[in-house]
Amino acid sequence: MTNNTLTLSQAHKIYTGDGMGLHALKLGIGGILMYSATISAFFIVMLMSQGSVSEARNELSGTGFINTFLAIDAGIILMITGLMHYDRQLPGGKYFRTVKGGFDTYRKMKNASLIARVTALIAILIFGAFSHLLGVFKLSYGISDIIYIGAFLLLSIGEVNFMNYIKNPALRGFLTPFIIFATGLPGVILPNVFDGNIYIGLAVAAVAVPFILISQKAMLSDYKKNKWNQ
């Protein structure tokens, strides 16, 4: 098999042991379980306070907590995967310079990782939407909240790509969580400011998609030039 025949999924498996689809599935399930666990923990606290299931659910539903939990838990998944680097000085870094296809295989792996992250984010948001539609826990503005949170978290993916310009791995790792959560925060706040106006969220999402593509290309170009052989 030559490098020209390597798919994105195959390149991802060389680096991580998982194909792109399996990686996306693991991330999506992980995020959904994390969100469910967070909501359940707060529900138990509310139940102990209110004394009834319906009252506890009503107390929790429609509050900023539901939106915040969704944004934070999805953001954690993006943060964990966004911090996957294979710098030369890190363990395994020199080895991955020798794999079939060299940097082109690395490029395919990073693109596969991007697709997996976006897919997992969508899966987590769909779970949040179904929880709202089924009346398990209500979001303040329903599907508008989902769109806002998703749009701003998409923006954070592009911003994390530009964080790769920071050469120091420790500094990069320290700053990345702040960037993701600072970017995701408006997705929780702005629906209240704009009374759930869905078009604002859609506009942000429309900007986020090309921003991700541009940042991904810029990140890979910088990595090849400044980090691959150094």
Side-chain angles (χ1 to χ4, degrees):
M1 179 185 291
T2 64
N3 179 62
N4 290 333
T5 65
L6 279 178
T7 65
L8 297 182
S9 186
Q10 289 168 337
H12 193 275
K13 191 170 185 177
I14 288 174
Y15 271 82
T16 68
D18 288 333
M20 181 174 63
L22 180 59
H23 186 61
L25 180 63
K26 287 182 176 180
L27 290 178
I29 292 175
I32 289 170
L33 291 176
M34 191 182 304
Y35 178 57
S36 300
T38 307
I39 292 292
S40 297
F42 262 75
F43 175 72
I44 291 172
V45 172
M46 290 292 184
L47 182 60
M48 294 173 63
S49 172
Q50 299 297 324
S52 118
V53 171
S54 60
E55 290 182 3
R57 187 171 62 243
N58 290 336
E59 185 73 18
L60 192 56
S61 292
T63 66
F65 287 118
I66 303 297
N67 303 49
T68 302
F69 296 154
L70 183 59
I72 289 177
D73 292 335
I76 289 174
I77 294 298
L78 297 182
M79 179 184 69
I80 293 171
T81 53
L83 289 174
M84 289 173 54
H85 300 290
Y86 296 88
D87 293 354
R88 193 179 187 90
Q89 72 272 21
L90 296 178
K94 291 182 179 179
Y95 164 75
F96 283 114
R97 268 63 181 169
T98 67
V99 300
K100 185 188 303 181
F103 181 79
D104 191 53
T105 300
Y106 177 83
R107 176 184 60 79
K108 289 182 177 180
M109 179 276 296
K110 292 298 287 186
N111 288 337
S113 176
L114 171 63
I115 294 171
R117 276 181 285 161
V118 172
T119 302
L121 173 60
I122 292 172
I124 297 167
L125 294 174
I126 288 175
F127 179 81
F130 272 110
S131 295
H132 168 80
L133 293 173
L134 294 175
V136 180
F137 291 106
K138 289 286 187 178
L139 294 161
S140 302
Y141 290 97
I143 301 304
S144 290
D145 288 320
I146 297 293
I147 292 174
Y148 272 87
I149 292 170
F152 279 95
L153 286 178
L154 284 175
L155 276 181
S156 77
I157 293 176
E159 291 176 352
V160 170
N161 276 339
F162 282 117
M163 293 292 292
N164 284 280
Y165 279 78
I166 299 175
K167 292 185 177 181
N168 187 304
L171 179 60
R172 191 169 60 211
F174 174 76
L175 292 176
T176 296
F178 293 99
I179 293 296
I180 291 177
F181 294 129
T183 305
L185 186 60
V188 176
I189 296 174
L190 289 183
N192 296 289
V193 175
F194 295 109
D195 198 29
N197 187 322
I198 196 171
Y199 298 107
I200 304 296
L202 290 174
V204 174
V207 171
V209 173
F211 179 59
I212 289 174
L213 298 177
I214 292 169
S215 67
Q216 183 80 353
K217 184 175 182 178
M219 177 270 292
L220 288 170
S221 177
D222 175 75
Y223 199 93
K224 182 178 182 180
K225 180 179 179 181
N226 298 311
K227 297 186 180 75
W228 183 254
N229 294 314
Q230 296 179 16

